[in-house]
Amino acid sequence: MTPSPTPTALVWFRDDLRLRDHPALQAALKAGLAPVPVYIHAPHEEGAWAPGAASDAWRHRSLAALDAELRQRGSRLHVFAGESLATLASVAASTGAAAVFWNRRHEPAIDQRDTRIRRELRQLGLRAEAFNGSLLFEPWQLETRAGDPFRVFTPFWKAALQAWNPPGLQPAPDHLPTMDPVPGEVALAALGLQPVPRWDNTFWDEWIPGEQGAALALQAFIDSKLHTYSEGRDRPDRALTSRLSPHLHFGEIAPWRVATQLDAAGPPDERAAFLRQLGWREFAHHVLRHFPHTPDDNFNPRFDDFQWAQPDAALLRAWQRGNTGVPIVDAGMRELWTTGWMHNRVRMIVASFLTKNLRIHWRHGARWFHDTLVDADLANNALGWQWVAGTGVDAAPYFRVFNPVLQARKFDPQGEYIARWVPELRGLPARARHAPREAGAAGLAATQGYPHPIVDLGESRNDALAAFARLKGR
DNA sequence: TAGGCATTGGC
DNA sequence: CCAATGCCT
């Protein structure tokens, strides 16, 4: 008789593409089960918010990086495509698995699917358990004194800091057991995550997807950006943000590792300013979990009657491609198109321009960001767009319309960010780049090929305010 | 350059 | 009663 092999546990990787600080992987090891790393490509199970093309391009590289890390330890990633439940059940059967472990995702469609999968797996006699792998605080962990979910960031974050208790850090396992090929496996390349043609080539000068890339980004941030973060983070002309967003979205680094490594570095108020940004990510997941309709519909139903402009494909396309004639807006949209990322200050500016000056529904902007950002994240995207549009949580006491010229002067004072992304304006003196049409004849002559503004900023602002005022009586 | 805009959640 | 990533006069 041959000795029976160690029973296995499937570790179902999703948006947690790392080996350190991985609760589901640790659970398998702790239970004495041999981990079988599994990835299942099933975008059709994500409802209306299947990952976009930029996100897929990142995911391809991140999965390849995870596979390489696993192979260094004797294991590898087993890749499948199809129905998640059926795949898990069949892989569990063919590998003799006793359990399936994964880390939670909180997107509404995924959460529903996973609840069903857990139930079904348990009915098959398997242990099935989900863990927190992506947040400092589970969305249900914090509540107001009245027992409600938070709707305002500041009290949310105060409560979070009071409850602060991040878990300890876990190294990646040194060695993982080798597994025979599993029936039904496919090659990573067969998932079709990489774009054709390869328009993403320009992305990878700036990004290293995967756990190592995430660690490098964090270290670079701590070494050279953290000490000026509170001011620097608002300056798109300087590279002073952490650029951790895609790494966090794909779970290439745990937020509690970011927080813990930060603890040992930098001035306290700079550290607090950065942690606060991690806090917005936590808040977004909290809000999405408690208000699952917010990716698609207004958080505040009062705005359901807001008079958005008539759909105009040409205006939307001008915005998407960075041809609005408003320099800071075009710079941001072109940065997004070229690199799969946009500086957060500029995200607010382009979003305000779309929803207030063009008065195009925030949903169109959210969709474009979802498709083009490498860090596209349903929770962050929904919160951000609704915050700017004024339809969401953390509402301002007035109808806020960003002035893109003032914002550019304030946060890109020399017009360097504009010049980087809008070459038509490079010949202008620095101060003229923010509003070339106001720069006189000399300015005009230098702006070859750069469009006139597609909308009058002052007029459209007043129109938006008027549309807002019309909501009042209702 | 200080004050107006004028809402809402949470303590 | 405080606070909320802004703009305009």
Side-chain angles (χ1 to χ4, degrees):
Chain A
M1 229 176 97
T2 54
S4 64
T6 315
T8 68
L10 308 190
V11 178
W12 181 19
F13 282 86
R14 301 114 62 79
D15 284 348
D16 48 3
L17 305 182
R18 64 176 185 267
L19 295 181
R20 300 191 289 190
D21 312 312
H22 196 289
L25 176 60
Q26 291 297 330
L29 294 170
K30 215 173 290 174
L33 301 169
V36 182
V38 169
Y39 182 80
I40 305 167
H41 181 60
H44 58 286
E45 295 175 2
E46 309 221 9
W49 294 99
S55 185
D56 278 346
W58 185 290
R59 185 183 303 274
H60 177 90
R61 286 174 179 249
S62 192
L63 287 168
L66 178 66
D67 184 50
E69 294 287 336
L70 285 165
R71 283 173 193 268
Q72 280 177 21
R73 292 166 171 82
S75 179
R76 65 192 178 80
L77 189 63
H78 301 266
V79 176
F80 303 86
E83 299 297 319
S84 296
L85 172 61
T87 304
L88 290 169
S90 107
V91 177
S94 56
T95 60
V100 183
F101 296 135
W102 65 87
N103 296 320
R104 268 186 282 279
R105 289 179 57 185
H106 298 286
E107 293 88 344
I110 296 297
D111 181 56
Q112 280 185 26
R113 178 198 69 180
D114 292 350
T115 301
R116 184 175 56 84
I117 286 178
R118 190 173 60 181
R119 194 177 55 234
E120 301 280 342
L121 290 175
R122 285 178 178 175
Q123 277 181 3
L124 294 173
L126 290 156
R127 265 184 80 188
E129 264 180 81
F131 301 86
N132 168 35
S134 62
L135 294 171
L136 291 159
F137 301 91
E138 300 259 46
W140 48 83
Q141 193 179 336
L142 301 172
E143 53 183 33
T144 69
R145 275 206 237 153
D148 296 322
F150 286 95
R151 297 160 155 87
V152 175
F153 174 72
T154 304
F156 169 84
W157 192 232
K158 266 181 81 173
L161 290 175
Q162 294 233 317
W164 193 258
N165 185 25
L169 302 185
Q170 298 269 13
D174 286 332
H175 182 79
L176 291 165
T178 308
M179 215 46 67
D180 290 335
V182 179
E185 274 188 70
V186 298
L188 175 57
L191 301 184
L193 294 172
Q194 287 196 296
V196 181
R198 293 294 308 279
W199 46 256
D200 63 325
N201 280 329
T202 46
F203 289 15
W204 315 115
D205 303 335
E206 319 211 8
W207 300 107
I208 308 172
E211 190 165 16
Q212 287 190 30
L216 287 170
L218 176 59
Q219 198 55 53
F221 175 68
I222 289 173
D223 289 345
S224 56
K225 305 175 189 179
L226 176 61
H227 64 287
T228 55
Y229 182 73
S230 52
E231 302 249 328
R233 71 188 192 83
D234 262 329
R235 293 288 299 271
D237 54 341
R238 317 257 181 88
L240 293 176
T241 59
S242 74
R243 301 176 68 96
L244 281 170
S245 53
H247 299 296
L248 283 165
H249 171 77
F250 287 99
E252 296 166 1
I253 190 165
W256 59 87
R257 178 172 285 268
V258 177
T260 302
Q261 282 193 221
L262 222 62
D263 254 349
D269 30 344
E270 300 298 327
R271 225 187 304 153
F274 181 74
L275 281 183
R276 193 177 167 85
Q277 294 306 305
L278 278 189
W280 277 97
R281 176 176 178 274
E282 299 285 322
F283 183 50
H285 285 79
H286 176 86
V287 171
L288 178 59
R289 173 74 190 206
H290 292 287
F291 307 99
H293 64 287
T294 50
D296 304 292
D297 297 306
N298 294 325
F299 169 80
N300 181 350
R302 176 189 177 204
F303 283 86
D304 292 352
D305 291 328
F306 188 78
Q307 289 176 315
W308 302 101
Q310 292 300 311
D312 185 326
L315 289 179
L316 181 60
R317 185 160 181 86
W319 177 81
Q320 290 171 333
R321 295 311 176 96
N323 289 315
T324 68
V326 180
I328 190 74
V329 173
D330 293 340
M333 298 308 293
R334 294 182 195 187
E335 178 180 35
L336 172 59
W337 187 247
T338 310
T339 69
W341 184 85
M342 193 195 305
H343 188 282
N344 187 54
R345 167 58 54 181
V346 189
R347 293 188 198 196
M348 292 190 277
I349 299 169
V350 303
S352 172
F353 181 79
L354 184 78
T355 57
K356 307 290 173 70
N357 296 105
L358 297 180
R359 230 182 333 136
I360 292 175
H361 198 293
W362 58 264
R363 199 179 285 138
H364 298 287
R367 175 57 65 181
W368 182 253
F369 271 27
H370 184 79
D371 289 342
T372 53
L373 280 168
V374 290
D375 65 24
D377 182 281
L378 193 62
N380 291 335
N381 203 37
L383 181 131
W385 276 96
Q386 293 223 43
W387 182 87
V388 172
T391 60
V393 293
D394 213 63
Y398 35 75
F399 193 61
R400 184 167 27 205
V401 184
F402 282 55
N403 180 325
V405 177
L406 293 187
Q407 288 275 319
R409 287 195 181 127
K410 187 167 174 192
F411 298 116
D412 180 27
Q414 302 307 312
E416 290 167 18
Y417 177 76
I418 289 170
R420 191 175 315 143
W421 295 110
V422 187
E424 302 98 300
L425 301 178
R426 276 179 200 158
L428 286 178
R431 298 210 35 98
R433 291 173 186 157
H434 305 122
R437 303 289 156 187
E438 293 169 17
L444 283 180
T447 62
Q448 309 121 333
Y450 189 65
H452 274 275
I454 56 173
V455 67
D456 182 277
L457 293 178
E459 222 171 88
S460 57
R461 173 178 200 273
N462 290 335
D463 291 348
L465 288 170
F468 178 63
R470 268 180 255 128
L471 284 180
K472 276 183 203 156
R474 310 200 178 207

